[in-house]
Amino acid sequence: TTGKKARSVSAPGQGYRSCIIFNSKTGKIIYSHSPDRQIAPASLTKILSIYVAEDAIRNRKLNRHAKVTVSAKAASAGGSRMGLRTGDRVSLDELIQGMAIASGNDASIALAEYIGGSEQKFVRMMNKKAKAIGMSRSTFKNASGLPAPGQFTTARDMLALAKSYLSAYPRNLKTYHNKSYHTYKGKFSTNANPMLGAFQGADGLKTGYVNASGYNLIATANRNNQRFI
């Protein structure tokens, strides 16, 4: 509202299945629309996968520059890809870049197999992490967000993930998530986040799409010393 008269504005949730908007400075939710509605997480899943990887690196269980050998399963992943081929030797850091910028499902599987020994074992690590940070309404079935029966989340849980991840690894916004493009062996991929470069202060975080949920977005922006998610 402005002045003495209330001004009618379109609610930010109109046209969306669910959303939630959070001000990190005040610690308050400033808008929500069906935030606990179950949705397929799509590639927003990759934020959790990267989170698990970063924890392993921080705990010195892994080296960011360690070389990962790409399996046939990873190389044959459908959907968005960074362009991996069977037998490629790629650093863990490059895989994270491929996940964050190109939204590579191939990179997600390669990372999961390297860290967990298998994607299935890595997914157990993901679900354990999700519960630890308060994602009580989410279940993950793979490391990429590709369609899978029983895989679901909510906008509120994705907010919990974004808050925890950004608190633990704030530098990743600049290092990975606000990059506009990624190249790997001649394959050029653009960041699908429509906010980058179009909205003042936008610096992340992740997009996704599957038929079951449509377009998903965790958007982050820093403006006037305030961060919004």
Side-chain angles (χ1 to χ4, degrees):
T1 61
T2 58
K4 295 182 179 179
K5 294 182 179 180
R7 181 166 55 90
S8 177
V9 296
S10 296
Q14 289 181 353
Y16 295 85
R17 291 189 182 185
S18 64
C19 69
I20 193 165
I21 305 172
F22 177 77
N23 184 329
S24 293
K25 185 174 183 179
T26 64
K28 293 182 178 180
I29 293 170
I30 59 176
Y31 182 83
S32 66
H33 172 75
S34 301
D36 298 312
R37 181 174 183 170
Q38 284 189 351
I39 56 174
S43 282
L44 304 188
T45 300
K46 293 181 174 75
I47 297 299
L48 180 58
S49 297
I50 293 171
Y51 199 163
V52 172
E54 290 287 3
D55 282 351
I57 293 168
R58 174 172 284 178
N59 294 331
R60 298 185 178 181
K61 294 180 180 179
L62 297 174
N63 186 310
R64 190 178 301 276
H65 304 291
K67 293 294 184 179
V68 177
T69 301
V70 178
S71 70
K73 178 186 175 182
S76 63
S80 55
R81 299 170 42 80
M82 90 178 248
L84 298 175
R85 289 171 287 225
T86 303
D88 280 0
R89 296 272 292 164
V90 190
S91 72
L92 189 58
D93 185 72
E94 182 102 19
L95 292 177
I96 294 174
Q97 291 181 49
M99 293 166 68
I101 306 167
S103 198
N105 296 323
D106 49 355
S108 301
I109 296 172
L111 177 141
E113 291 177 335
Y114 178 73
I115 295 175
S118 70
E119 185 177 10
Q120 185 178 22
K121 290 179 181 178
F122 183 79
V123 170
R124 287 201 287 269
M125 297 167 66
M126 291 169 60
N127 282 306
K128 182 178 179 180
K129 182 67 177 182
K131 295 298 181 285
I133 61 177
M135 300 178 71
S136 59
R137 300 174 179 87
S138 298
T139 298
F140 297 91
K141 299 293 184 177
N142 58 49
S144 62
L146 283 166
Q151 181 161 259
F152 58 86
T153 189
T154 67
R156 193 186 303 276
D157 274 10
M158 281 292 147
L159 173 61
L161 172 60
K163 286 165 56 180
S164 182
Y165 174 70
L166 292 175
S167 176
Y169 304 104
R171 293 183 179 180
N172 279 15
L173 279 174
K174 185 175 181 180
T175 304
Y176 302 118
H177 299 289
N178 69 0
K179 302 295 185 184
S180 298
Y181 63 89
H182 178 265
T183 57
Y184 176 76
K185 290 190 174 181
K187 186 179 187 302
F188 180 86
S189 302
T190 57
N191 193 324
N193 188 343
M195 306 285 279
L196 298 178
F199 182 84
Q200 182 186 343
D203 52 11
L205 183 65
K206 191 73 190 73
T207 63
Y209 178 86
V210 290
N211 288 335
S213 61
Y215 291 99
N216 292 355
L217 172 68
I218 301 176
T220 62
N222 192 19
R223 188 186 293 183
N224 299 327
N225 234 5
Q226 297 186 86
R227 173 163 298 285
F228 294 89
I229 304 172

